[in-house]
Amino acid sequence: MTRLPLDGVLVADFGRILAAPYLTMLLADLGADVVKVEQPGTGDDTRAWGPPHAQGEATYFLSVNRNKRSLALDLRDPADHARAVELVRRADVLVENFRPGTMDRHRLGPAAAQALNPRLVYCSITGFGSGKGADLPGYDLLVQAVGGLMSVTGPAPGQPVKTGVALVDVLTGLHAAVGVLAALRERDTTGRGQLVEVNLLSALLSGLVNQSAGYTLAGAVPGILGNRHPSIAPYEVFPAADRPLVVAVGNDRQFAALCRGLDAPELASDPRFTTNGDRVAHVEALAAALTDRLRLRTAAEWFTVLTPLGVPCGPVNDLAGAFDLADSLGLNPRATLP
């Protein structure tokens, strides 16, 4: 096997549930030796989160814990605590996502851990930071709600919906991975470890990108648009003859190509639809006109017609269809899955 970028890096993983385990899984995929510390008898909570199961294991747990070793330690037990201390002394990275103060009570908080090991990169993941929000519980669904994601997600105004996966946890794990890698790079220069602090709320507000910028720069408070985009049209789901079809037109050239593919030149010359701004302003009329045409053929037929013209489109696949697509494109989607 070829050498991986993080070969030789030892990670003491005190994380559980999703955000922290996702981070440490990424580090393991890059070659780090990840030792996952779990509570004796029960282990990570997600070991019990099923169905579904695979060979007796909860697939939720398996989804974020590949390539790791497991070590059962009760940090309240003196002998187990001593083993944890020894692990921290040898580790390059420590990751934890307990409530703020928990690791301090176990004498393994940032100051204590870096006193044991000055080269240690210490990553702490919380729900709402370690200051005034320290006592708030950090659950993905809660942060989706109070962090604004659900306010822009759903079929219609007044009908907020969570995302189909714990997206905030995943975003936070990715942000934390960037922070840990940057801290390791800094350690290469200075020889000293760093403290990396990431919280779910801040990661979500960063991940809201254009919606956050619309508020902070222009004072625009977005609402629920269903499957539509606040700044682009047509960019939504339409009914084809057999199943839903996404059309994701990002510029005027693509819209002109869409009109050619639909054999609807009158739409391209309609002053309501000339520019993207015009189309956003008249999105209801545009959607009605496109729906009339897209209903006439199946999603697969439209994909065959429109894709060669440079029009981004595709059917709404279930997960089996998504994996089939990735396989057909040679992406080998199972290579990095449990």
Side-chain angles (χ1 to χ4, degrees):
M1 293 180 63
T2 58
R3 191 178 187 279
L4 293 172
L6 295 185
D7 279 353
V9 173
L10 176 62
V11 178
D13 179 7
F14 291 86
R16 73 267 191 268
I17 313 298
L18 184 52
Y22 188 78
L23 155 64
T24 53
M25 180 183 69
L26 295 177
L27 300 180
D29 289 348
L30 293 172
D33 179 11
V34 177
V35 178
K36 182 177 177 66
V37 177
E38 299 186 66
Q39 182 69 22
T42 57
D44 192 311
D45 288 355
T46 58
R47 287 185 181 272
W49 286 9
H53 295 87
Q55 290 150 2
E57 293 271 12
T59 58
Y60 198 115
F61 173 82
L62 296 174
S63 72
V64 287
N65 286 292
R66 63 175 175 259
N67 295 335
K68 302 177 186 180
R69 296 188 286 157
S70 183
L71 179 62
L73 294 178
D74 183 347
L75 297 181
R76 297 164 297 184
D77 177 84
D80 281 1
H81 186 271
R83 296 179 68 191
V85 166
E86 182 55 32
L87 175 62
V88 171
R89 287 186 193 276
R90 296 187 296 110
D92 297 285
V93 179
L94 184 154
V95 175
E96 63 90 12
N97 63 336
F98 292 106
R99 279 200 180 192
T102 300
M103 290 295 277
D104 286 318
R105 289 195 295 274
H106 291 302
R107 307 186 305 283
L108 290 173
Q114 289 180 324
L116 292 168
N117 180 357
R119 291 177 54 81
L120 182 70
V121 172
Y122 194 109
C123 179
S124 180
I125 297 176
T126 62
F128 298 90
S130 57
K132 293 181 180 179
D135 292 333
L136 298 175
Y139 286 88
D140 180 276
L141 177 59
L142 173 61
V143 180
Q144 287 197 36
V146 302
L149 179 57
M150 290 176 66
S151 77
V152 296
T153 306
Q159 300 178 47
V161 172
K162 74 176 185 67
T163 60
V165 296
L167 184 63
V168 180
D169 279 333
V170 173
L171 283 171
T172 304
L174 288 168
H175 278 72
V178 173
V180 167
L181 294 175
L184 287 171
R185 177 66 181 90
E186 174 68 10
R187 192 188 68 173
D188 288 345
T189 302
T190 66
R192 297 194 62 82
Q194 303 283 316
L195 174 61
V196 178
E197 293 183 293
V198 186
N199 67 79
L200 273 64
L201 179 60
S202 294
L204 172 57
L205 293 176
S206 170
L208 285 172
V209 288
N210 59 301
Q211 301 283 33
S212 288
Y215 171 69
T216 58
L217 299 178
V221 178
I224 290 176
L225 296 175
N227 287 315
R228 287 180 180 161
H229 194 285
S231 307
I232 313 171
Y235 198 94
E236 60 181 283
V237 180
F238 294 93
D242 59 337
R243 56 175 167 157
L245 174 77
V246 159
V247 175
V249 167
N251 56 53
D252 296 341
R253 176 183 53 78
Q254 290 175 352
F255 181 68
L258 171 65
C259 294
R260 290 197 304 275
L262 297 178
D263 193 24
E266 70 280 7
L267 296 182
S269 60
D270 191 316
R272 297 174 298 173
F273 311 141
T274 304
T275 68
N276 178 68
D278 295 327
R279 294 191 293 275
V280 171
H282 299 93
V283 66
E284 292 288 354
L286 176 63
L290 293 178
T291 296
D292 288 343
R293 290 157 178 82
L294 290 169
R295 285 186 185 276
L296 301 177
R297 304 175 79 165
T298 68
E301 288 174 322
W302 284 125
F303 179 80
T304 301
V305 169
L306 296 176
T307 299
L309 298 177
V311 179
C313 68
V316 178
N317 285 328
D318 61 15
L319 204 55
F323 270 83
D324 288 344
L325 173 62
D327 283 331
S328 72
L329 298 175
L331 298 179
N332 194 15
R334 294 164 178 79
T336 57
L337 293 172

